[in-house]
Amino acid sequence: MTKYSKVVLLVIDALRFDFTIPVSGSGEYYHNQFPILHEMAQTDHGLLLKFMADPPTTTLQRLKGLTTGSLPTFIDAGSNFNSDAIDEDNWLLQLHRQNKSIAFMGDDTWTALFTEYINPQLCYPYESLNVWDLHTVDNGVIEHLFPLLAQENATQWDFLIGHFLGVDHAGHRYGPNHYAMREKLQQMNDVISDAISQIDDDTLLIVFGDHGMDSTGNHGGDSKDELEAALFMYSKQQKFNKKSNSSYDISNQGNNYRMVNQIDLVSTISLLLGLPIPHNNLGTPIDELFTTENGELTQAFVKTLNQLQTFKSSNPSLLDNLDVKYNALISHIELENVEDFEKAYKGYQVTFLEECKSLWAKFDMGLISTGIGIMFLSLLFIITYSRSIPSIRVLTMSFEFIGSVIAMSLVGIVLSFSVFIVLRPDGFNVKKCLATGFALGIIIGFWAPIMDRFSLDWLVHLVIDFFVYNFNTFSFLGIVFSILHCLVFASNSFVVWEDKMILYFITTFGICCLIHCLLDRRISTTQRVLGSLHALTFLILSRLASNINLCREEQRPYCTPTFTTNWWSIILLHLMSYLLPSTIKYFYKLSNSYHSAGPLWIGIGLKFLMTFNASYWTIEYIENNQESFGINKIVWLNRILFESGLSKSMKLAIARLVLFVSLILANFSWSRGPLCVKLDFKQQSPSYVEETTVIKHHIAKNESPEDEIVVIEEIEEEDEEDEEQEQEQEENSIKRKEVEVDALAPSEVEQLVKEVEEEEENSPEESSVPVPSTVNAILGYENVYGASYFLLVLNFAAGILLVTKPIGAISLCMLLIQILSLLELFDILQLKRNLISPIVLCLLGYQHFFSTGHQATIPSIQWELGFMTTETITFPFTHLNILLNTFGSFIIVCLVVPLITLWNIPPTNRPITALAYVITNITTMMTYHTLTSISSLIFAAYFRRHLMVWKIFAPRFMMSGLLLIVVDIVLILFTLWFGTGRTMLQVNNIFG
């Protein structure tokens, strides 16, 4: 049945079907720019069809389906970025076995999958994942394609593959409705026109898209726009067996246009080239490619039917009633009833395909149950560790866990291996047994030191006592929020609208804080007013952040996406580079902590980095909107800025500089121990001495009197008056000497503090003569931990702001202000040890995850930002950018957790107790994320046969699992070990 001796197969990545048909009256950039396909399809030698992809709509999975005819699973989507060679039967393998020469150029995913089948002399792969590069791959394909199509080179190949990426990359970078998309579609139109003119009479030209794209230019899910690609075939000699014109209706953007499955191409190509149909093929030949006059179509169906029956015989899990239908089909052939056979065959093939789809994914309930059990055991440990162990024991036991975990994990591996050798449990291979034993060993290793020291009854009573004696309105809210968030995963509608649920929780907390500040008479009037302002700030910013969103497909038409980059978002980003440092400066001045390292980090460093961030996105915006600014018409300017690569070099330099300074240089400098305090020596009147003595009395007692801030502010006002008097009257006898702590070594600071204390001890307590006296004060002493630690948060925040798109960066700026307002509220309302504090931070992380343009879906991952610092995939820089972009809000709130305890407290003579409270809040955050992960796992398993499992439940569980890993690593390594450890060590080394 061989009909063609050669095939030219051109893949235009993400070629959505409506890009290829006329759409009257449309002003979109992506419509009516690619007319050649539809024009040629109006002849008998051309055919244009809607090409339906199977989810997941990622390139690697589509290539597997297009070459093997099988259905790659959803979980395989992760291998799109780490592909391995395909070991299944496919038509490239069959070509290779017949000594056919395969030429290739374009997306290097093909070489990762089929490198052994491609002629190495005619293989030209290009890096595929740099979505910011629209032209390199396409230009490379064009460079090698047309020389091979020339008549003198036509004997070098039998099958030629070209894979263009420009349309896909334009969608990822700009979205489909951008002039760059128009230019790429026009370029592809010219390429196909030239290819049609150059192929010979015995060559079949196939052009198709592997998937479509959604309204944002992304893909990976199963929305209509992502699934509908285009398929075009052209032959100069052969005519196609087309159906009636009504089958090719282009009205309503082709809603009723004839469609075929992508896997149908596999059997079609195999039969047209006289190849065996791949063993795992589930598709059916495309009718139009085979004539009915000489029985070609019937023969094609018969060969495909035999292949499907062979596939069934090797898969006994398929239903036996398929055999009955198969025998009935054979009888139709024997009776030579062709029309009945063709009709019955199509029904059989559809039934066969649906049966295979029902068995698409196999669920190992044994492993799922084991995973749920291990997660529950870890949850019990975290709750016990955070709420049952006395604070004095927390720090000492933390070191005991290390040895115990190592020992018990080794024991678990040995025992699990022994169980496997002796019992050979069903469904468990050696890897599964070892993994289970290792996980259980770790959990037992954590539990062993606890059970060695404390009885189970005592631990249970401590947990109960915690909730009984610490139970109030806010702790009740924390429990309710946790339960409701876990129950969200029981409904696909609630998962889809999770962002609105989170906003409801946060708003509820903010309103409760506002009411508490207004009505609680135990709080001073000043603090009530201040707390009310912080609560209002928190509520307003929460509402503003919620207006920034990227809508899921399921949320439409009830959701309007606002996560876009436009001119006003760029202007706001520039404004925030000044407003955010000024706002943080205000919060620092509330505790009189804007000294020493504060102005350097906030007033200079943060402003510098944010200005560079805004500059980066300004260049990016101008580059993306050359047509709007008219730059593309100014030849010399366009040549200098863009064609020369100057703008790209500037962006790379800015991105590398900001990330290096914020993540490495700033953190290294911070680890040297900068403090936001100042030693202040003055000669003042007796009244000043009395006021300062009151403050020092409270500081010495580790107390925080309600009017302390007010007193300090009064003293500052007197300082300003003294400075003015010094400028006006040189003979003023008041002399002042200020020494910044940052300028001195720790040993010098300790000596200076001792001198201050000795001077205070030797100075007379009372004096009958009102003569000026020497007064010593440590400004910023009452928030020495918090002010210093928050600089670490700013270091990471500056880097995360860079890898977040402008409107998302504005959201993260709101997050930082919300956090500072929360810290003040926790202090005013005495919520430092309340369950609600870390839970609200968790909710803030989720809110700003959604407001930075993310959803629990694969298409919402902003892959393009991985190439901000590199032009190709480079580990770990590409991966780090994507990690910071996706989980940036969670990283920030994880770093903030210690501030619940450390904000607005002076140096304490009980650092172990303070550290224990920090650990309690950290483990509470771990508990919250573990709870949500367990809940999403349970409901994903429960709804494993649900229609929406791969679209809603499975992606949400995958997000929970990844988030739990990221949160635990950040909390342990950066928050506890690096951040809290360094801060407390440095402060206590200086102040004792």
Side-chain angles (χ1 to χ4, degrees), residues 959-977:
M959 175 196 158
S960 295
L962 290 173
L963 178 59
L964 182 62
I965 295 172
V966 171
V967 165
D968 286 354
I969 291 175
V970 173
L971 286 174
I972 293 172
L973 294 183
F974 296 97
T975 302
L976 182 59
W977 176 72

Side-chain angles (χ1 to χ4, degrees), residues 852-889:
T852 50
H854 298 96
Q855 290 281 352
T857 59
I858 291 178
S860 70
I861 301 175
Q862 299 167 24
W863 302 109
E864 66 273 19
L865 297 181
F867 299 94
M868 292 183 68
T869 53
T870 58
E871 296 186 70
T872 59
I873 297 177
T874 306
F875 181 84
F877 304 109
T878 305
H879 309 72
L880 178 64
N881 292 348
I882 297 173
L883 178 71
L884 293 176
N885 170 266
T886 306
F887 298 108
S889 61

Side-chain angles (χ1 to χ4, degrees), residues 679-882:
L679 295 181
D680 199 6
F681 299 92
K682 294 184 180 181
Q683 288 183 346
Q684 278 292 354
S685 63
S687 60
Y688 183 95
V689 175
E690 292 172 1
E691 292 171 342
T692 308
T693 304
V694 171
I695 295 174
K696 291 181 178 179
H697 170 76
H698 290 300
I699 292 176
K701 297 285 187 179
N702 284 332
E703 297 175 354
S704 299
E706 294 176 351
D707 57 344
E708 181 177 327
I709 295 177
V710 179
V711 174
I712 293 177
E713 290 178 350
E714 291 175 355
I715 295 173
E716 287 181 337
E717 291 176 0
E718 294 184 8
D719 292 344
E720 294 175 359
E721 294 176 0
D722 291 342
E723 290 176 4
E724 293 176 359
Q725 292 175 7
E726 286 179 357
Q727 294 174 0
E728 296 175 359
Q729 299 179 358
E730 295 183 358
E731 67 274 9
N732 194 319
S733 61
I734 302 176
K735 297 180 180 180
R736 176 174 179 166
K737 179 181 180 182
E738 298 178 349
V739 181
E740 293 190 353
V741 176
D742 238 17
L744 302 178
S747 58
E748 295 173 324
V749 176
E750 292 176 20
Q751 181 62 33
L752 202 54
V753 172
K754 290 179 180 178
E755 292 177 3
V756 173
E757 292 174 349
E758 291 175 0
E759 187 175 347
E760 290 178 346
E761 291 176 358
N762 297 330
S763 61
E765 295 185 359
E766 296 181 359
S767 177
S768 58
V769 182
V771 296
S773 304
T774 301
V775 178
N776 310 293
I778 303 177
L779 304 179
Y781 187 87
E782 65 279 4
N783 191 24
V784 63
Y785 291 111
S788 176
Y789 185 91
F790 191 75
L791 301 181
L792 175 67
V793 178
L794 294 179
N795 292 346
F796 282 90
I800 293 170
L801 286 171
L802 171 72
V803 297
T804 306
K805 293 182 179 180
I807 194 70
I810 294 168
S811 172
L812 292 181
C813 292
M814 295 182 194
L815 171 62
L816 291 171
I817 300 173
Q818 284 178 291
I819 287 171
L820 289 170
S821 293
L822 273 182
L823 295 175
E824 294 293 337
L825 282 171
F826 293 157
D827 184 42
I828 294 171
L829 301 178
Q830 299 179 0
L831 298 177
K832 288 177 176 287
R833 297 186 60 187
N834 196 287
L835 187 67
I836 191 66
S837 300
I839 290 177
V840 170
L841 289 179
C842 292
L843 295 175
L844 275 182
Y846 276 106
Q847 182 187 35
H848 290 272
F849 170 80
F850 294 117
S851 64
T852 50
H854 298 96
Q855 290 281 352
T857 59
I858 291 178
S860 70
I861 301 175
Q862 299 167 24
W863 302 109
E864 66 273 19
L865 297 181
F867 299 94
M868 292 183 68
T869 53
T870 58
E871 296 186 70
T872 59
I873 297 177
T874 306
F875 181 84
F877 304 109
T878 305
H879 309 72
L880 178 64
N881 292 348
I882 297 173

